[in-house]
Amino acid sequence: MIPSPFEYVRVGSVEEALAALAEHGEDAKVLAGGHSLLPLMKLRLAVPEVLVDISGIPGMSYVRVEGDGADAVVAIGAGTRHHELERDEVARAEVPLLPHVAGLVGDPQVRHRGTIGGTTAHSDPASDLPTALLALGGTVVLQGPGGRREVPVTEFWTGFFETAMSPDELVVELRVPRTGTLGWGYEKFTRRANDWPIVAAAAVDGRVALANMGGTVLRATATEEALAAGAPIAEAAALADQGTSPVADMHADADYRRHLARLLTRRALETAAGA
Amino acid sequence: MQVSITVNGEQRTDEVEPRLLLAHYLREVCGLKATNIGCDTTSCGACTVVVDGLSVKSCTVLAVQAAGAQVTTLEGLAGADGELHPVQKAFREEHGLQCGFCTPGMVMASVGLLAANPDPTDREVREGLEGNLCRCTGYHNIVRAVRSAAQAGPAAGRVPGAQEVQA
């Protein structure tokens, strides 16, 4: 399978990337690791006229703590590849859910290429890292012609492959709260080792996010409210599929996905609680 | 457009279409046919090569993305004197293949695995090769081959003439 012809533009700075996006508008797509975009292009489900390759921009891969005390956040460069995040010492100490989940994406070869900014911008509801980011809270930092803006993760993913970004904006950073020694859990159900989750659940600090239970990654709000009201884990987890709209496909029907959402939420919450 | 890539230690410059996949570049432009294309959907790992020290699936990388990079294929593993790489030797000795189609990708992924984990357990080998499928289901001897290769020490996780494989 070979993609349709396109023009390839390799940029050396965020400013050059933004200029290329401004020039080509919706005809352009940003290329980072390419492990979501190139498969779509090979199937001709995506047919961009211009690819703007941002992988050569220096300084896009980092994990660092910014600020102090309760206001401190962990800032992750959008160009950070999954295998880098998986092994990053700062990430492992400050927000351990994220490197754990980075290590579950695809397989080693995929993790060598894919980036956290790419999977964020792609907005596949079955993606592991967006599920973890949604459970953590925090923001997506976008840069566009008008400067930088931060969009809360709860408002960023708006639909299947759709986000709150404009075509002339670039994801430049993810910012998540430090969780330090707080418990966390991630449960991913697949049929084959390197697959996307049929359903996955992430739990940390009383928040629960689900993969593949609707058009976007989403929060299990009924579970979160029950936990906040003091319900035991089993009772709260039994509400995890409320308000979701899972699809049926060759892997699972909707009822099975609802069952998985409740089960995986319970397991993730129990792991987070150290139970 | 013009692209310069170091393939198996030799720098070359070629005129390529931006849409040319690295797997096709290696097979058809460079004439290196060891790299097989299996599923063509980033699943099976038959097309695995090492780019700047990291194993990647070359069906999902554009040749232009490899500009300036060091690419190693199975053909680049043996020494100049023809001496097999420790992973090649181990696959031969332990018969880590059946039909052989997945073997080039398995070997390249194994080099990457041993770079990250020089002495893996059976389970770690199986998990580390999760991105490579054997259509004959000949996994048992592949795992034995990788564990046997580990006995050769750090050389098993290196590609000749290039930087160490990182993980």
Side-chain angles (χ1 to χ4, degrees), chain A residues 202-226:
Chain A
V204 62
D205 202 12
R207 294 182 297 274
V208 175
L210 299 170
N212 225 356
M213 287 297 291
T216 63
V217 290
L218 44 84
R219 290 268 282 272
T221 47
T223 294
E224 293 177 353
E225 284 163 13

Side-chain angles (χ1 to χ4, degrees), chain A residues 246-259:
Chain A
V247 296
D249 60 20
M250 62 186 283
H251 299 299
D253 63 21
D255 281 346
Y256 185 49
R257 281 203 161 84
R258 289 179 179 278
H259 163 76

Side-chain angles (χ1 to χ4, degrees), chain B residues 3-88:
Chain B
V3 65
S4 288
I5 303 176
T6 302
V7 181
N8 296 336
E10 184 190 330
Q11 197 187 338
R12 42 182 303 150
T13 301
D14 295 288
E15 188 69 29
V16 300
E17 263 194 281
R19 63 173 172 165
L20 183 70
L21 300 169
L22 180 61
H24 292 143
Y25 170 80
L26 292 168
R27 288 178 58 86
E28 287 153 28
V29 179
C30 305
L32 298 167
K33 302 283 176 91
T35 304
N36 284 330
I37 297 172
C39 70
D40 209 3
T41 58
T42 339
S43 300
C44 80
C47 65
T48 299
V49 299
V50 171
V51 175
D52 283 341
L54 295 171
S55 59
V56 305
K57 296 182 178 179
S58 61
C59 76
T60 310
V61 178
L62 300 169
V64 290
Q65 286 179 287
Q70 304 230 15
V71 178
T72 306
T73 70
L74 187 81
E75 291 96 334
L77 276 191
D81 56 0
E83 169 146 8
L84 293 181
H85 185 278
V87 176
Q88 289 176 301

Side-chain angles (χ1 to χ4, degrees), chain B residues 27 32 53 76 82 99 121 144 150 157:
Chain B
R27 288 178 58 86
L32 298 167
C99 81
T121 62
R144 286 168 56 137

Side-chain angles (χ1 to χ4, degrees), chain A residues 206-208 220-240 242 265 269:
Chain A
R207 294 182 297 274
V208 175
T221 47
T223 294
E224 293 177 353
E225 284 163 13
L227 288 171
I233 284 174
E235 200 176 296
L239 308 172
Q242 279 194 10
T265 294
L269 284 168

